[in-house]
Each structure stands twice: as structure tokens, then as C-alpha cells.
Amino acid sequence: MIRKVVFIGAGNVATSLSKALIDAGFEVAQIFSRTKESAEALAMYLKTSYTTEKNKIAEADLYICSVKDDAIKDALSGINFNNKIVVHTSGSSEMDILKPFTSHYGVLYPMQTFTIGKNVDWSQVPIFIEANSNNTTNELMLFAKAISPIVTAADSKRRKSLHIAAVLVCNFTNHLYAMADRLLKENNLEFKTMLPLITETVEKIKVISPKAAQTGPASRHDMKIVNDHLSLLSGNDHKIYELISKAIQDEQL
Amino acid sequence: MIRKVVFIGAGNVATSLSKALIDAGFEVAQIFSRTKESAEALAMYLKTSYTTEKNKIAEADLYICSVKDDAIKDALSGINFNNKIVVHTSGSSEMDILKPFTSHYGVLYPMQTFTIGKNVDWSQVPIFIEANSNNTTNELMLFAKAISPIVTAADSKRRKSLHIAAVLVCNFTNHLYAMADRLLKENNLEFKTMLPLITETVEKIKVISPKAAQTGPASRHDMKIVNDHLSLLSGNDHKIYELISKAIQDEQL
């Protein structure tokens, strides 16, 4: 039974997840990070302790590694986990990246976007679980269900598909919002004007498929408008407008 | 005072707007469309009459042309408007495209996405108004306010900026939803799993700017993941992933 947790990493995911765990009654015993500032900031927020030294990492039932995928191996190497469970929270890294560090390992992938300063309702966060044994899978499922009702087992291949889809519907749509924000500001218009349209775009795909919901100049092949808009855009904006317009038309074929 | 309206066109915008006008107490006297099927379908839905013949168009206080921008001139030429007010509903067409047809003309641009089969709450639709005289502007403002509380005067240049932004945050984000839907289906996963993430992405930009809200592999320069995802995508999907990842990184500079 997992009761005591230590975090390796102190970024957006660690901050939101550690807080949710404390709210659910778990003990977050320690935060480890290579940078004192981030370790200390999160530890203060949680009212717990921190360390920047690998040989001073506390004992726990579960070690949660939330660092960027590039950094997972470096972050974990040199730590003695006493064969306790170690998980990472990445959508795309293989589970087996953890094999060198313990005999009990897995993945706890919360499919949500986390930014420090914006609280997330964890009852709405789908969590995908994978582990190297049935026993550890069961322990992690039970653990995850204490913070979210939407917990699913998913192997690395399915998790990677989910992660690509998540990048598209979250990170990339957010970039389109940022582009719109910038273009509107250049014309002394406010981004908040777009909120009803953004909301309705999301409401539509709850009731009809995104393909059936597609509207706009590209989908009705109104090339006068498409070319007119292109003439007002440059750089990446121009390339993105051109490519997605083409993709919308290709998708209809 | 505008009381009686005739629609030129019977597509998504005409369908939603004509219904909203009837609900607000206006008379929609007739639907004109070149294709009998669409004119008849909308007229039946509204319980009004229709015509496909330009010399049989009914008298009205206001003629609303909702056809694709390419088709506006053709749709209007040959109709006798008796110098009554004619508007189009396009985000991008110039107002002056209507000059040959009457001395009272303007634009009524509802910035929303309309699809037959999905009702829109018109109290949440920003409407942008432009006209060739103050008198007609005032008439149209009064008219528009009867169906939406969010009515703003905007000249053609500002309206075009709004339209480009609308294409980005609605049509293009919807294409990313359609891409995710297709990729998930290929891996036997359901698109509805993404809804909490999609909703949270929108909730975030209500409280922090899209630029500050940006997360994901590209924004944290996790090139291992970016390249891993790229290796699983082909065609337009590959190009879109590559281009937007680059744009997210360029935007941070």
C-alpha cells in the first residue's frame, strides 16, 4: 500500500500532482531537484522538506519522477531506491527506461496540461497506468484512483498515441490561440472577443465528430478568402495558415 | 425600422440566423437559393416560403446575403432590391462589394461557427456591424441587438483581422481535433478521452495569456519526444507537427 511519496523534479506536473496527493491524504515526504530554487519553492508550498543531494533522498513507498523526458535517466542515476516503486509521468518515454533503477517500476501519465498558477481539477484528469508486474499495476491503479476517477491501464504504444493526440489538441491549439492573440493585438482588438467562438468550437465536438464539425473558408473551398488571408500573414503564420488550409481540404477527399 | 427580412442563401449561417430572427419576433418572409433543395429545406424548417427565381423575390426591409464570398456578386446580380438595405455576413469580404445593388448596404458579421444540426446560443455570439451611412449603421445595430447583446461597430480592416483570428481558433483548432480523432481511432482509442484536456486548455486562456499557458514537448525543447512523435507521423500530419513545434519555439525567442 502506497502511503509515502517522494518527488524527483519540481516543475508543473510535480507541483500539481504533489498538491493533489496531499489533499487526498498521502504524505509527500520530500522534493528532490537539482536546482535549489525550484526544490525549495515547491517544498515551501507543500510545507515539506527538500534536498538537492542524491545521497540524502528520503525513504518512500513510491518515487515519482517528473522531469522532462531527456533528463529522466540523469535525474535517477546514482539514487538508491531500495527496490521501491519508481514511476515517471511522461506520455512518451518507454517504461523500460526505469529498469536500471529498481525491480518495481511503471508509468503514471496524467493526460492534462499543467501550468504553475492555474489549479487543475484532478477529478477531471484521465490517468494512464503501466507497470512491469501485475502487482505493481494494481498498486498504482489503487493509488491513482485516490486522486482521479478516470484511471486506465495503457501500454507504452497506446500511451504514445494519446500523447501525440494531446500535443495536437492542447499544445498546438494553444499555439493557434497565441497567434490569434498576437494578430488581434496588432489591430488593437482584444483576444477575449474570441472566447464565445472558442467555447462553441469545443461544445460542437462533444456532440458531432470534428470532421463533421469542420467549417470555414478552407473547408468550403473559398480560395478568394484563403488567399486574401495569406496575403496578410508572413513567416510561420503564413506557413501554418497555408498548410492547415491544405490539410483541411485534403481531409475532405 | 427593420421588421421583414429575406435571406439570399440557405446554408449554415442563414439557417441559424433566420431561426434566431424568428425567435426574436422578426418576420422572415422568404428564402432565396439557386438550389431548390436547400431553399425548400430551410423554408420548411422556418415555416415560410421560398423561391429560386430572382424576379420573384419578396419585398422586405432587409436582405441578408449568406452565401460563400466567391458567390456574393453572382447571387445578388439581377435582383431588384428597391433600394432597401442589403447586408452580407462575411468576415472578410469588403462592404463595397454591395454598392452596385442598392444605396443602403452594410455588413452583419456574426463571429461564430455554425453547423446545421448544432444549435447556437445567439446571446453568446459577437456581431460586428458596418454600413455605408450612419443611419444604416444605427438601423443595423438596433436590429442586431435584438438577437445578441454583444454588438460592435467594426470597419472592414478590423473585421478581417477578427476573421483571420476566428479561422485560427476555430477552423484550425478543429482540424487538430480531427487529426487527433483519426490518429486515436487507428490505435483503438476514443476521442472523448481528450475532452478534459481540451476543456482545460480553453479554461487556462480565460485566466492566463495563451503565450504564458504554452506547455508540451516543443515549448520545453524536449527534442527526443518531438522527433519520436515525428517518426510516427506522415504526410500533412508530419508537416503540421514539425511546423507548429518550430513556431512554438520561435515564439518564445
Side-chain angles (χ1 to χ4, degrees):
Chain A
M1 182 94 174
I2 297 164
R3 298 300 309 153
K4 198 170 170 179
V5 181
V6 162
F7 274 84
I8 318 289
N12 290 332
V13 175
T15 301
S16 185
L17 179 54
S18 60
K19 182 66 168 56
L21 289 175
I22 288 172
D23 291 347
F26 294 93
E27 180 188 350
V28 175
Q30 193 185 47
I31 306 298
F32 166 82
S33 172
R34 280 185 297 187
T35 53
K36 182 173 181 290
E37 290 70 23
S38 59
E40 190 175 27
L42 180 51
M44 277 180 65
Y45 172 62
L46 300 173
K47 300 185 179 69
T48 188
S49 59
Y50 71 93
T51 182
T52 59
E53 296 172 63
K54 288 186 169 177
N55 59 0
K56 292 193 177 159
I57 285 186
E59 278 186 40
D61 307 313
L62 172 68
Y63 294 85
I64 300 179
C65 176
S66 282
V67 299
K68 67 179 191 173
D69 294 54
D70 279 352
I72 294 175
K73 277 186 195 168
D74 272 1
L76 300 182
S77 65
I79 299 178
N80 178 6
F81 292 109
N82 283 314
N83 245 349
K84 295 294 172 59
I85 306 174
V86 179
V87 298
H88 69 62
T89 57
S90 157
S92 283
S93 280
E94 299 289 324
M95 176 175 69
D96 283 351
I97 196 176
L98 303 175
K99 198 171 180 176
F101 306 108
T102 180
S103 7
H104 309 288
Y105 54 91
V107 180
L108 186 152
Y109 170 47
M111 198 183 63
Q112 190 48 281
T113 169
F114 301 99
T115 308
I116 289 169
K118 169 71 178 76
N119 283 333
V120 157
D121 174 5
W122 275 82
S123 73
Q124 294 294 315
V125 179
I127 298 179
F128 296 92
I129 296 291
E130 183 181 11
N132 75 320
S133 71
N134 286 341
N135 199 30
T136 306
T137 303
N138 291 341
E139 283 231 56
L140 290 175
M141 293 286 282
L142 203 66
F143 172 72
K145 279 179 181 161
I147 49 170
S148 164
I150 326 166
V151 182
T152 315
D155 63 17
S156 292
K157 185 169 176 289
R158 282 159 66 88
R159 180 160 36 84
K160 198 174 284 188
S161 296
L162 288 161
H163 193 208
I164 293 176
V167 167
L168 298 176
V169 306
C170 168
N171 310 146
F172 286 8
T173 63
N174 188 71
H175 178 69
L176 296 172
Y177 299 154
M179 263 176 78
D181 187 17
R182 176 167 41 73
L183 294 170
L184 289 170
K185 275 206 186 81
E186 287 167 12
N187 288 281
N188 296 314
L189 289 158
E190 287 189 78
F191 180 66
K192 72 173 185 196
T193 318
M194 313 307 290
L195 291 177
L197 176 59
I198 289 172
T199 303
E200 176 65 13
T201 305
V202 172
E203 288 306 309
K204 272 169 79 167
I205 50 137
K206 293 180 183 171
V207 290
I208 47 179
S209 78
K211 195 171 173 181
Q214 190 66 63
T215 59
S219 76
R220 55 176 191 270
H221 291 259
D222 196 335
M223 298 315 290
K224 187 177 169 298
I225 301 278
V226 169
N227 290 323
D228 188 30
H229 287 178
L230 281 171
S231 72
L232 295 168
L233 299 169
S234 60
N236 287 330
D237 295 351
H238 186 101
K239 288 182 200 160
I240 288 172
Y241 195 105
E242 193 167 38
L243 178 54
I244 302 189
S245 292
K246 180 182 179 300
I248 287 170
Q249 294 177 342
D250 288 353
E251 198 93 9
Q252 292 172 321
L253 299 179
Chain B
M1 182 96 175
I2 296 164
R3 298 301 310 155
K4 197 169 170 180
V5 181
V6 162
F7 274 84
I8 317 289
N12 291 332
V13 175
T15 300
S16 185
L17 179 53
S18 60
K19 181 68 168 57
L21 289 175
I22 288 172
D23 291 347
F26 293 93
E27 181 189 349
V28 175
Q30 194 186 46
I31 306 299
F32 166 83
S33 172
R34 279 185 296 186
T35 53
K36 183 174 180 288
E37 290 70 24
S38 59
E40 190 175 27
L42 180 51
M44 278 179 67
Y45 172 62
L46 301 173
K47 298 186 179 67
T48 186
S49 60
Y50 73 92
T51 183
T52 59
E53 295 172 63
K54 288 185 170 178
N55 59 359
K56 291 192 178 160
I57 285 186
E59 278 186 40
D61 307 313
L62 172 68
Y63 295 84
I64 299 179
C65 177
S66 282
V67 299
K68 68 179 189 172
D69 294 55
D70 280 352
I72 294 175
K73 276 186 195 168
D74 273 1
L76 299 181
S77 67
I79 298 177
N80 179 6
F81 292 108
N82 282 313
N83 244 349
K84 295 294 173 61
I85 307 174
V86 179
V87 297
H88 70 61
T89 57
S90 157
S92 284
S93 280
E94 298 291 323
M95 176 174 68
D96 284 350
I97 196 176
L98 304 174
K99 197 172 181 176
F101 306 108
T102 180
S103 3
H104 309 288
Y105 55 92
V107 180
L108 188 153
Y109 170 48
M111 198 183 63
Q112 190 48 280
T113 170
F114 301 99
T115 308
I116 289 169
K118 169 72 178 74
N119 283 333
V120 157
D121 174 6
W122 275 82
S123 73
Q124 294 295 316
V125 179
I127 299 178
F128 295 91
I129 296 290
E130 183 182 11
N132 74 321
S133 71
N134 286 341
N135 199 32
T136 305
T137 304
N138 292 341
E139 283 232 56
L140 290 175
M141 293 286 282
L142 202 68
F143 172 73
K145 279 178 181 162
I147 48 171
S148 164
I150 326 166
V151 182
T152 315
D155 63 17
S156 292
K157 185 169 176 291
R158 281 159 66 89
R159 180 161 35 84
K160 197 174 285 187
S161 296
L162 289 161
H163 192 208
I164 292 176
V167 167
L168 298 175
V169 306
C170 168
N171 309 145
F172 286 8
T173 63
N174 187 72
H175 178 71
L176 296 172
Y177 299 154
M179 263 176 78
D181 187 17
R182 175 166 43 73
L183 293 169
L184 289 170
K185 275 206 184 82
E186 286 168 12
N187 287 281
N188 296 315
L189 289 159
E190 287 189 78
F191 180 66
K192 72 174 185 194
T193 317
M194 313 307 289
L195 291 178
L197 176 59
I198 289 172
T199 303
E200 177 64 13
T201 305
V202 172
E203 288 306 309
K204 271 169 78 167
I205 50 137
K206 293 180 183 170
V207 291
I208 47 178
S209 77
K211 196 172 171 179
Q214 191 66 62
T215 60
S219 75
R220 58 176 188 269
H221 291 260
D222 197 334
M223 298 315 291
K224 187 177 168 299
I225 301 277
V226 169
N227 291 323
D228 188 30
H229 286 178
L230 281 172
S231 72
L232 294 167
L233 299 170
S234 60
N236 288 330
D237 296 351
H238 187 101
K239 288 181 200 162
I240 288 171
Y241 195 104
E242 193 167 39
L243 178 55
I244 302 189
S245 291
K246 180 181 179 301
I248 288 170
Q249 295 177 342
D250 289 351
E251 198 94 9
Q252 292 172 320
L253 301 179

